Amino acid sequence: MLTEIPLTRPSTPLLDSVNSPAQLRALSEEQLPNLAHELRQYLLFSVGKTGGHFGAGLGVVELTIALHYVFNTPSDRLVWDVGHQAYPHKILTGRRKEMLTLRQKDGLCAFPNREESEYDTFGVGHSSTSISAALGMALGSELQGLLNKHVAIIGDGAMTGGMAFEAMQHAGHLKTNMLIILNDNDMSISESVGGLSNYFSRIWASRRYNSLREGGKKVLESMPNAMEFARRTEEHMKGMVSPGTLFEEMGFNYVGPIDGHNIEKLTLYLEKLKDLPGPRILHVITQKGRGFTPAEKDPIGYHALGKVDPKPPVKATTQDNATPPPAKPKYSDIFGQFLCDVAENDQRLLAITPAMREGSGMVTFSKRFPKQYQDVAIAEQHAVTLAAGAACEGLKPIVAIYSTFLQRGYDQLIHDVALQNLDVLFGIDRAGLVGEDGPTHAGAYDLSFMRCIPNMIIMAPSNENECRQMLYTGYKYPGPAAVRYPRGTGPGEAIAQTMVELPLGKSNTLRDGKGIAILAFGSMVETARQAADNLNATLIDMRFIKPLDEEAVIHAANQHSLIVTVEENAIMGGAGSAVNEVLAREGIVLPLLNLGIPDSFIEHGKPSEMLNACSLTPTGIQESIEIRLQKLESQRNAKNVS
């Protein structure tokens, strides 16, 4: 058992000899437990150097080895769900040395990526997709007469997503040859919630069921025609303990549960299941954070890990024993405090999260107001429609959701909330470029996909206090409203405890200048301030994307020779496009410059590196404006010459 993350590279001679799954398959089965130990050590070391998802990978070390040992990868397809647990897979598929570049610019992606390796059969990052993808691959192979195998590895948390069951019922109907590995560790990021998770824990892992199952099999193995009789008897035993036999009723051959850390058992069962026809499920029990004591004790806290600094932290010193300034609150902390403050006086508040309690800053709220808190598991579509239903009965639901995950509830946002003009507030976290998790987690599109929806109010705060006041404004607004804010901290604005409603659709001019008007949205207001100062430009904190402050837009256009919009969202269809539409409708023709995220996926790196790639830095904004001014000057000179 490991208790500390190694700061120096551990000795891993057996692992060092495995540079591909083919070399793994050349090992004897007796060598695999030692390989698992070395792989776990190296995983701890590499993640300590780079940071990244942690506990899930430790929990599937043995399973990953067994899968690559039994199946002929990459010809046989392994499809990992979410991808949090794919680091051991990356290490065993020729990327051991590159693991020290994980989540860094131009380094390895934090998730499986088809462009990175032929062993990464499907790009992931969002939950509950593996069964659909593996089924599609199996159908493709079948139509082409190929004989390769297809395996989806999905966690019990991801099984709470409805998409997984949509795929399962289809696979059961088609009787497609595929294997699902149900990795049951009773966790997603927070504790797994819901009837399904309880069902797994209560039934399949129960001593009663397993003693009946194993004892019955031993007796039946000695009887003539035992195989068919055993199968039918096992069905009846399952039925006595677990009415409905969920998976088998869906058409799957269910096997398990088995110990997911016993390589000998894993390889034995995988070998037996590999060539069976039809859809199969192997249920394995694993422990998140396995082999690292702190992660076993705190699987939530060790879901992901930052870099481990080998140097002891330097204590900050202050002159004259002055009290150091308090740490700036994260936007998620502001959201969590807002929930608590409102719930103190309003029992109508119902806060809903799709398995993002910790990330969305809701831990304190969930403990103080448990009756007004709902974690619906990894089920974004359900979260949105649950809020709609609650609003129908007079509650005031607030959906706490990451921008990238709201994409999964888009139909529900339109059809169930906005179309019925229901009173739901969305606290949209992680808006913009989030950094090392890359494009699967970037909140690059929410302004574009929400702006076109009737009845929506959309706000973007430029600082901490504005975030609090916008959340309150959205809470008081009697209809669909959204406040989108970035990951991490803001510029450090003092937060007023008193909450006031902002006038809808009204901007705030921060600086009057000449020639250039910069219309900035949300996180880009502070970023654009330096360019505004250096260029003597007007700077407007637009605050509202919808309704847009059209009066301010028209006034700026009439007073300036260049309008610049800046947003941390896709340029196409975003807030800048809204400004363009107003000017076009009013027949105002003048030079425009829309700055934002270009029409491409911005690969992982530090947030500053991703913003720099989009020229969304103080220097980048100023340079973009200066280039446009130079172009305009050249055009004027050419016109004068002609």
Side-chain angles (χ1 to χ4, degrees):
M1 182 69 70
L2 302 166
T3 58
E4 293 184 353
I5 295 173
L7 300 178
T8 58
R9 193 193 189 289
S11 175
T12 56
L14 185 58
L15 178 64
D16 294 348
S17 71
V18 176
N19 294 306
S20 70
Q23 292 176 323
L24 166 63
R25 290 189 283 271
L27 301 178
S28 67
E29 286 197 38
E30 290 73 21
Q31 292 175 290
L32 299 186
N34 187 33
L35 178 65
H37 177 68
E38 292 186 7
L39 177 54
R40 193 167 267 114
Q41 285 184 304
Y42 186 79
L43 178 62
L44 285 167
F45 165 72
S46 64
V47 177
K49 289 292 185 183
T50 64
H53 290 103
F54 189 70
L58 289 172
V60 296
V61 166
E62 290 83 6
L63 176 60
T64 306
I65 291 172
L67 285 167
H68 281 293
Y69 193 74
V70 171
F71 288 91
N72 185 31
T73 56
S75 177
D76 290 339
R77 314 297 196 198
L78 302 183
V79 184
W80 298 92
D81 209 281
V82 186
H84 293 165
Q85 73 276 46
Y87 293 2
H89 161 79
K90 286 178 181 271
I91 293 170
L92 292 174
T93 53
R95 289 168 278 182
R96 182 179 66 254
K97 294 179 181 178
E98 288 75 16
M99 285 297 291
L100 299 182
T101 72
L102 187 78
R103 305 171 79 241
Q104 300 168 29
K105 190 175 185 296
D106 301 322
L108 291 185
C109 177
F111 304 95
N113 185 327
R114 282 171 54 84
E115 294 184 2
E116 186 176 289
S117 171
E118 63 179 335
Y119 293 94
D120 292 358
T121 60
F122 197 74
V124 292
H126 290 186
S127 167
S128 313
T129 64
S130 61
I131 302 175
S132 295
L135 177 57
M137 293 175 188
L139 292 176
S141 295
E142 183 179 308
L143 288 172
Q144 297 176 76
L146 303 176
L147 299 177
N148 48 328
K149 315 296 184 185
H150 303 85
V151 185
I153 305 100
I154 185 168
D156 55 335
M159 286 290 281
T160 61
M163 183 176 176
F165 280 86
E166 292 173 16
M168 287 180 65
Q169 70 86 20
H170 191 204
H173 170 73
L174 294 175
K175 297 181 171 47
T176 304
N177 290 330
M178 65 179 295
L179 173 63
I180 297 173
I181 307 292
L182 172 56
N183 175 29
D184 186 356
N185 63 13
D186 200 30
M187 294 290 295
S188 51
I189 294 176
S190 301
E191 302 92 343
S192 288
V193 300
L196 181 64
S197 177
N198 294 335
Y199 178 85
F200 291 151
S201 302
R202 186 176 66 253
I203 300 299
W204 300 127
S206 69
R207 290 183 179 179
R208 181 185 175 195
Y209 168 70
N210 282 286
S211 62
L212 280 170
R213 185 175 190 274
E214 295 302 321
K217 275 193 170 180
K218 287 178 181 177
V219 173
L220 291 165
E221 283 172 357
S222 63
M223 297 173 60
N225 302 318
M227 292 299 291
E228 177 62 19
F229 188 42
R231 184 187 67 79
R232 293 190 179 189
T233 303
E234 184 180 0
E235 284 185 4
H236 290 303
M237 283 195 297
K238 283 182 182 178
M240 287 188 292
V241 181
S242 175
T245 57
L246 177 64
F247 298 123
E248 294 192 353
E249 290 298 323
M250 295 179 74
F252 280 77
N253 180 7
Y254 170 87
V255 176
I258 67 168
D259 182 357
H261 299 295
N262 185 321
I263 291 185
E264 182 181 358
K265 272 193 174 182
L266 285 169
T267 55
L268 174 65
Y269 276 83
L270 289 172
E271 285 286 1
K272 289 180 177 295
L273 287 169
K274 181 172 68 171
D275 295 316
L276 288 181
R280 295 93 69 200
I281 287 182
L282 176 62
H283 184 177
V284 303
I285 305 297
T286 64
Q287 182 180 20
K288 195 171 184 180
R290 175 79 170 197
F292 184 60
T293 303
E296 290 185 2
K297 292 180 178 178
D298 182 15
I300 296 175
Y302 280 88
H303 170 71
L305 186 74
K307 288 184 182 181
V308 177
D309 190 348
K311 299 178 182 178
V314 178
K315 292 184 179 180
T317 58
T318 57
Q319 295 181 345
D320 302 323
N321 295 319
T323 303
K328 292 192 296 185
K330 298 178 181 178
Y331 279 103
S332 56
D333 297 331
I334 296 166
F335 174 76
Q337 186 61 53
F338 161 79
L339 290 179
C340 291
D341 290 347
V342 174
E344 288 274 9
N345 302 302
D346 192 348
Q347 294 184 353
R348 296 183 311 120
L349 185 150
L350 177 68
I352 300 168
T353 176
M356 287 288 131
R357 180 185 63 181
E358 285 75 21
S360 294
M362 302 174 74
V363 174
T364 299
F365 176 84
S366 69
K367 293 176 179 178
R368 287 185 57 192
F369 304 95
K371 292 183 179 180
Q372 293 173 258
Y373 168 77
Q374 289 292 327
D375 183 342
V376 303
I378 306 174
E380 294 86 359
Q381 293 171 308
H382 169 57
V384 177
T385 303
L386 176 72
C392 289
E393 295 302 313
L395 295 185
K396 179 67 185 198
I398 302 178
V399 180
I401 192 166
Y402 291 6
S403 172
T404 185
F405 298 139
L406 182 57
Q407 295 165 186
R408 312 188 80 191
Y410 189 52
D411 178 63
Q412 289 70 29
L413 176 62
I414 296 174
H415 184 273
D416 298 337
V417 176
L419 180 62
Q420 303 183 91
N421 202 24
L422 291 174
D423 194 6
V424 179
L425 172 62
F426 293 86
I428 303 176
D429 199 351
R430 270 61 167 183
L433 298 170
V434 296
E436 290 85 348
D437 282 345
T440 61
H441 282 58
Y445 311 107
D446 54 83
L447 294 186
S448 300
F449 69 64
M450 288 193 298
R451 193 174 69 80
C452 60
I453 303 175
N455 294 332
M456 286 291 299
I457 298 295
I458 309 168
M459 296 167 271
S462 63
N463 58 54
E464 296 88 341
N465 185 56
E466 209 168 61
C467 183
R468 180 174 170 85
Q469 307 309 329
M470 285 182 176
L471 287 167
Y472 184 71
T473 302
Y475 190 79
K476 299 297 287 185
Y477 178 75
V483 180
R484 60 104 70 172
Y485 42 90
R487 183 180 187 179
T489 60
E493 185 78 13
I495 302 173
Q497 291 306 301
T498 302
M499 293 184 285
V500 296
E501 291 183 66
L502 301 176
L504 291 181
K506 292 300 179 183
S507 61
N508 182 27
T509 299
L510 301 178
R511 187 187 192 283
D512 286 314
K514 294 183 178 180
I516 306 164
I518 302 176
L519 281 54
F521 296 84
S523 61
M524 288 293 104
V525 173
E526 284 302 313
T527 306
R529 193 183 291 272
Q530 179 179 310
D533 290 341
N534 292 342
L535 298 171
N536 189 25
T538 293
L539 177 62
I540 304 175
D541 175 2
M542 293 301 294
R543 303 203 294 191
F544 288 82
I545 294 86
K546 187 176 183 180
L548 191 69
D549 190 342
E550 297 186 2
E551 182 179 335
V553 171
I554 294 169
H555 179 75
N558 289 331
Q559 298 297 316
H560 300 82
S561 57
L562 174 65
I563 296 292
V564 181
T565 65
V566 192
E567 62 191 297
E568 197 173 345
N569 183 83
I571 295 173
M572 298 181 71
S577 293
V579 172
N580 299 349
E581 290 163 13
V582 170
L583 297 175
R585 189 192 66 219
E586 296 296 319
I588 300 173
V589 179
L590 83 164
L592 297 169
L593 175 61
N594 298 134
L595 301 178
I597 300 172
D599 187 25
S600 60
F601 293 109
I602 309 303
E603 293 301 326
H604 59 278
K606 294 179 180 178
S608 59
E609 292 171 332
M610 299 179 78
L611 289 167
N612 187 61
C614 302
S615 296
L616 293 178
T617 62
T619 301
I621 291 170
Q622 182 171 334
E623 289 178 350
S624 296
I625 294 172
E626 289 174 340
I627 290 171
R628 176 54 59 91
L629 291 173
Q630 291 170 5
K631 186 175 181 180
L632 291 171
E633 181 64 25
S634 296
Q635 291 172 345
R636 281 194 293 267
N637 291 337
K639 194 172 183 180
N640 291 336
V641 170
S642 62

